[in-house]
Amino acid sequence: MVNETQAPASSSAFSFISKSWRDVRVSADADFQLIRNRANSFKNLATSFDRELENFINTASTFSVPAISSSTPAEIDFVKKLQPKLSEFRRTYSAPDFSKRVLEKWGPRGSIRIDLSAIKNAIVPEVEDRDGIVDFDRVRRGRRVRFRNFGTEEVKEKEKDYWEPIRAFKTRLREFERRSSSTVDIFEGWKSGELVEKVKSSLKAICKDPEDSKEVPPLDVPELLACLVRQSEPFLDQLGVKKDLCEKIVENLCSKRKHQFLQPSLSGGETSIVGNDNISDELDLRLATVLQSTGHCYEGGFWTDHRKYDMSNQKRHVAIVTTASLPWMTGTAVNPLFRAAYLAKSAQQNVTLLVPWLCKSDQELVYPNSMTFSSPEEQETYIRSWLEERIGFKADFKISFYPGKFSKERRSIIPAGDTSQFIPSKDADIAILEEPEHLNWYHHGRRWTDKFNHVVGIVHTNYLEYIKREKNGAIQAFLVKHINNWVTRAYCHKVLRLSAATQDLPRSVICNVHGVNPKFLKIGEKVAAERELGQQAFSKGAYFLGKMVWAKGYRELIDLLAKHKNDLDVDGFKLDVFGNGEDALEVQSAARKLNLNLNFLKGRDHAHDSLHGYKVFINPSVSDVLCTATAEALAMGKFVICADHPSNEFFQSFPNCLTYSTSKDFVAKVKEALASDPQPLTPEQRYRLSWEAATQRFLEYSDLEKVLNDEKRAEEKSNRTMVKSISMPSLSGVVDGGLAFAHYSLTGNEFLRQCTGAIPGSRDYDKQHCKDLHLLPPHVENPIYGW
């Protein structure tokens, strides 16, 4: 701190240092002008003296004194001899370069010495006495006249030159004047340079006045409490405290200083880069400002691993990891496949699709029609041919496999071993985890956010809705909810929820990032063309298509039809149901007992020719997150009847989507759809359903577009005065790392894994996986050394 008595002296010192050479030049010019003015005054004095002498000469010829008439001729002769010398004197001291010669003889006390030796030499032979004084007794009544120099000191024959330093200084000034223009430019460049700015800022920091101090004030108690509450959200969430309540607490704590967060760090001409209404962003910026003022540089947390993919001079790489694969016709097998194809289509990044590989015993349980593959290469050929048949172009992306095992109880595929190790470190840049909670329930391996620069999770399935239908479902749903929060927070940077039907996960946003197979859009265009020609596009009534398990909407469908059987039978309502699944026998038995007019058929592809003629697609499911079959039916130009539910919000903007909220409303919508024709889709509506639009939404909402253009973003950030620091130490980051470490420790215990429902032996892949995928045995890949 600088005390008050030193402040004025420091300020004046700083002002003298920062004075520009332009001011020095102006001062020198003023001094030169003063010298010139003095020289001009001397010239005027010499001219006046010259005029006096001329008058004296003119009057000398007529001058006569009776008392001394005898001496008049001698006086006239003296003046005549003196006149040529005076003319020479006049020419000498009236010359243009007189000022320059005067400056060379300038005296130390401002006097001007004039050498009158020429006049003296002309006068002495005639009228000089022995004392060296001119005697005018013969001219002016005996009075003595003594010529002296114009100044205060007498002229000496040999005068010592005192002015050599002044001459050198004048020479330097003339050189400086010649180079003044270039010198000023140089100093102006220095003044605007970064080095000078840094020096001035350092001097200001040392010599600033106390009243002008702009030091960043430390965090006060409300701000510290707000930071603690916000960073403790993981713990509070586990205790049941909602995120909204935490945000309100933070807002109340920060409301008193809401308008003072950025004032210490931003000057009057600058504006904040965050909105005034976003308390969280303002608090982040406030923390970054305080850290910057202390000079602290955060280089990572306790759990952070910095050995990541090197982005320099390389093409970005995207790895898509999913929990299912064709020929299993499920959403997590089809949608990631299309996502990989359309991300690779832009050719801006390399794409790898990582899918599970099942041994033959599991393939027979999962894949339809007992289809099996003897090698991953054979399955990859099937996947690529199926995809290219539907998208119409050759997708240039890589397909890799990781070991997986099928769980009959969960009816899903569980990864075996560390899934992240099947993406080489040289390609570990961006990871897209399809169903991140499912992939990480039993993940025992390297943390995804440590290996990859950016990890995005996409939630496909509403697991809580499925679990609630099971025995002790409420307790299981409570545990699964918190486990899902745990693993997504620990392993993802951003989470996308396809609809609001899923649970609210950390760092999640809601956006539909799925499109429909282009083949369905072509079918819709064909139907619209047939209707324009006056042909009958739809010759059949209503149908339902889906995997035949109770959770896929079959329970809701049977309940609705049983409750309003009489109302629908009056109009001869009949519903065709297409699907295969584990609950097929139970569903068909329940429908027969209730005598429902349902016609059960084998499952088939939704794009099959036999389904083109149906006009109405009925989907009463409320367990889906975003039903792919509903989007496909809309793309084909059909009516869709579905529940007024968050999972269907994306479809409600389409005119052919008819939603119901009650069972009576369901009957009314069915009758309305059967009695009218659907409207043709507009080009805008078709684009919203396409994968091109879905890919664009995905890039925007997952922050992947910003990550892929990381260099441009860094350039923009360099122009800002203050930004939120992504490397700022955060309690949330420490918590996430601790959660990941705890999860890794728990999933390494085989007993705990089996207690939570894991497949026995799924911590590592087995010998059959080693043989099929050409892997080293687990004990060789991860040896255990002991005594």
Side-chain angles (χ1 to χ4, degrees), residues 19 112 174 239 275 434 464 574 610 622 652 680 687 730 738:
K19 182 177 181 181
I112 301 178
R174 283 193 293 269
L239 297 175
E434 311 278 351
L464 300 184
K574 181 180 179 181
S610 61
V622 293
Q652 291 178 4
Y687 176 75
S730 170

Side-chain angles (χ1 to χ4, degrees), residues 40-302:
N40 290 334
S41 65
F42 182 79
K43 288 171 60 179
N44 296 335
L45 180 62
T47 303
S48 176
F49 178 74
D50 185 53
R51 287 196 300 267
E52 293 294 332
L53 288 177
E54 287 180 352
N55 294 335
F56 175 75
I57 293 171
N58 293 333
T59 59
S61 58
T62 58
F63 178 79
S64 63
V65 178
I68 55 173
S69 59
S70 61
S71 62
T72 300
E75 293 175 359
I76 295 173
D77 293 338
F78 168 74
V79 172
K80 287 181 179 180
K81 290 181 180 181
L82 183 62
Q83 185 174 3
K85 303 300 181 181
L86 292 174
S87 300
E88 183 179 354
F89 172 80
R90 183 176 63 251
R91 286 194 304 270
T92 301
Y93 290 97
S94 299
D97 58 343
F98 173 74
S99 299
K100 180 178 179 181
R101 286 183 291 170
V102 168
L103 291 175
E104 294 177 355
K105 297 296 182 177
W106 201 256
R109 289 186 294 274
S111 62
I112 301 178
R113 294 190 181 92
I114 301 176
D115 189 5
L116 300 179
S117 58
I119 302 175
K120 177 181 177 182
N121 293 336
I123 297 175
V124 166
E126 298 291 335
V127 292
E128 185 178 26
D129 61 2
R130 61 181 178 271
D131 295 330
I133 301 174
V134 179
D135 189 3
F136 282 91
D137 289 344
R138 288 175 294 177
V139 181
R140 297 289 305 275
R141 289 181 297 187
R143 292 193 330 183
R144 290 185 176 182
V145 178
R146 189 174 184 178
F147 285 90
R148 297 180 183 271
N149 61 331
F150 291 90
T152 60
E153 297 181 358
E154 296 182 356
V155 178
K156 297 181 180 180
E157 295 180 358
K158 295 181 180 181
E159 182 180 28
K160 186 178 179 180
D161 193 354
Y162 295 100
W163 303 110
E164 186 62 28
I166 301 299
R167 292 194 190 97
F169 178 71
K170 290 194 298 181
T171 304
R172 296 291 181 87
L173 285 178
R174 283 193 293 269
E175 293 177 358
F176 173 76
E177 187 174 6
R178 285 195 302 269
R179 296 179 298 178
S180 61
S181 59
S182 59
T183 306
V184 170
D185 294 339
I186 293 173
F187 279 98
E188 287 294 323
W190 284 359
K191 287 175 66 179
S192 60
E194 182 180 359
L195 178 61
V196 174
E197 291 298 326
K198 288 184 178 180
V199 172
K200 295 174 83 173
S201 62
S202 301
L203 291 173
K204 287 180 180 179
I206 297 173
C207 305
K208 60 188 176 183
D209 293 335
E211 63 268 16
D212 296 333
S213 177
K214 295 184 178 180
E215 292 182 354
V216 179
L219 297 175
D220 54 19
V221 175
E223 289 173 338
L224 291 173
L225 291 175
C227 294
L228 180 62
V229 172
R230 195 186 60 176
Q231 302 295 350
S232 301
E233 284 183 5
F235 296 121
L236 297 176
D237 184 62
Q238 300 295 335
L239 297 175
V241 179
K242 297 296 183 181
K243 183 178 180 180
D244 296 341
L245 180 59
C246 295
E247 291 177 352
K248 290 181 180 179
I249 295 174
V250 172
E251 183 176 359
N252 291 332
L253 290 172
C254 298
S255 60
K256 294 183 179 180
R257 298 196 58 180
K258 179 178 179 181
H259 301 292
Q260 302 176 12
F261 279 142
L262 305 181
Q263 291 178 1
S265 60
L266 298 178
S267 62
E270 298 168 343
T271 57
S272 172
I273 63 171
V274 296
N276 292 331
D277 296 333
N278 196 331
I279 292 293
S280 179
D281 287 346
E282 290 181 356
L283 187 57
D284 284 338
L285 189 56
R286 170 85 169 114
L287 291 172
T289 306
V290 174
L291 287 173
Q292 187 186 51
S293 67
T294 61
H296 177 75
C297 182
Y298 181 69
E299 297 181 351
F302 181 77

